[in-house]
């Protein structure tokens, strides 16, 4: 086993019970640090999913708001054109119809633009989410590769399992740490 801070090789056999206890405590500390680092890095995927869901929700809300605004503008123009048509005789009615038609066309154009903008935002959000998920996957693979090369042999399967399935590994790790703390704190006499 190589000490991570100095790079020196630790002696393989203990020269007494006190030295054995020190070696065990040092190994526990290193394992705890490794588990904490891995747990922090593995949460990237969860944060990426939450960010992608938030962006999708914002894009949907923006689409609804843009559609509502465009429809409201169309209705406002329609109402004004109708009022102008009632006030003026035949010419005013004809002018009102022309304005009304233009307003409907403008409303449709605005709705189309709002819909296009909504789709663009959704597409960008989807691409950002996919890129984030890809990054999280690459990070997971990199963690596995590093664990295979840098984690001591006896704990390597445990660390690799923790990378692949972080929640159960964190629960088991917490239980092991709790047992270790209790056994250290209240040793059998």
């Amino acid at each position: 086993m190589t000490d991570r801070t100095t790079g020196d090789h630790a002696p393989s056999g203990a020269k007494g019970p006190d030295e054995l206890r020190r070696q065990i405590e040092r190994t526990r500390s290193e394992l705890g640090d490794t588990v904490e680092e891995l747990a922090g890095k593995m949460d990237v995927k969860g944060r990426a999913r939450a960010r992608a869901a938030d962006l999708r929700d914002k894009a949907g809300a923006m689409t609804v708001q843009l559609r509502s605004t465009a429809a409201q503008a169309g209705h406002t123009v329609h109402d004004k054109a109708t009022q102008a048509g009632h006030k003026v005789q035949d010419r005013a009615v004809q002018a009102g119809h022309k304005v009304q038609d233009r307003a409907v066309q403008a409303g449709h154009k605005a709705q189309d633009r709002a819909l296009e903008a909504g789709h663009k935002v959704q597409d960008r959000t989807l691409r950002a989410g996919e890129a984030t998920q890809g990054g999280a996957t690459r990070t997971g693979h990199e963690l596995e590769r590093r664990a295979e090369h840098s984690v001591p042999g006896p704990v390597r399967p445990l660390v690799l399992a923790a990378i692949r399935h972080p929640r159960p590994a964190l629960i088991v790790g917490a239980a092991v740490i709790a047992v270790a703390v209790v056994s250290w704190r209240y040793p059998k006499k």
Side-chain angles (χ1 to χ4, degrees), residues 81-98:
T82 303
Q83 289 173 0
H86 286 300
K87 290 181 181 178
V88 181
Q89 301 264 327
D90 293 335
R91 281 185 165 180
V93 170
Q94 291 175 357
H97 286 300
K98 288 180 183 179

Side-chain angles (χ1 to χ4, degrees), residues 22-112:
R22 284 191 298 273
Q23 287 178 357
I24 290 171
E25 187 60 35
R26 186 172 47 243
T27 302
R28 282 180 184 161
S29 175
E30 290 172 0
L31 182 57
D33 293 344
T34 302
V35 169
E36 283 183 31
E37 288 176 26
L38 292 174
K41 289 180 180 179
M42 291 307 295
D43 193 28
V44 170
K45 191 172 186 179
R47 290 184 291 183
R49 285 183 181 155
R51 178 71 176 146
D54 185 43
L55 289 174
R56 277 193 299 272
D57 291 345
K58 285 181 182 178
M62 180 183 262
T63 300
V64 169
Q65 185 180 8
L66 289 173
R67 284 182 182 169
S68 174
T69 302
Q72 199 172 31
H75 290 304
T76 301
V77 171
H78 179 270
D79 290 345
K80 289 181 180 180
T82 303
Q83 289 173 0
H86 286 300
K87 290 181 181 178
V88 181
Q89 301 264 327
D90 293 335
R91 281 185 165 180
V93 170
Q94 291 175 357
H97 286 300
K98 288 180 183 179
V99 170
Q100 184 178 7
D101 290 343
R102 289 179 185 162
V104 169
Q105 289 174 357
H108 288 305
K109 286 181 183 178
Q111 284 178 337
D112 290 344

Side-chain angles (χ1 to χ4, degrees), residues 134-164:
T137 301
R138 286 190 297 278
T139 300
H141 290 308
E142 179 63 20
L143 283 174
E144 285 184 31
R145 187 188 67 72
R146 286 183 183 178
E148 287 179 5
H149 297 295
S150 65
V151 174
V155 295
R156 187 175 298 137
L158 176 65
V159 171
L160 289 174
I163 290 171
R164 291 184 187 113

Side-chain angles (χ1 to χ4, degrees), residues 1-3 6-16 18-24 26-27 30:
M1 174 170 54
T2 302
D3 186 7
T6 62
D8 297 336
H9 290 284
S12 60
K15 294 184 180 171
D18 290 336
E19 186 176 340
L20 181 59
R21 283 188 191 99
R22 284 191 298 273
Q23 287 178 357
I24 290 171
R26 186 172 47 243
T27 302
E30 290 172 0

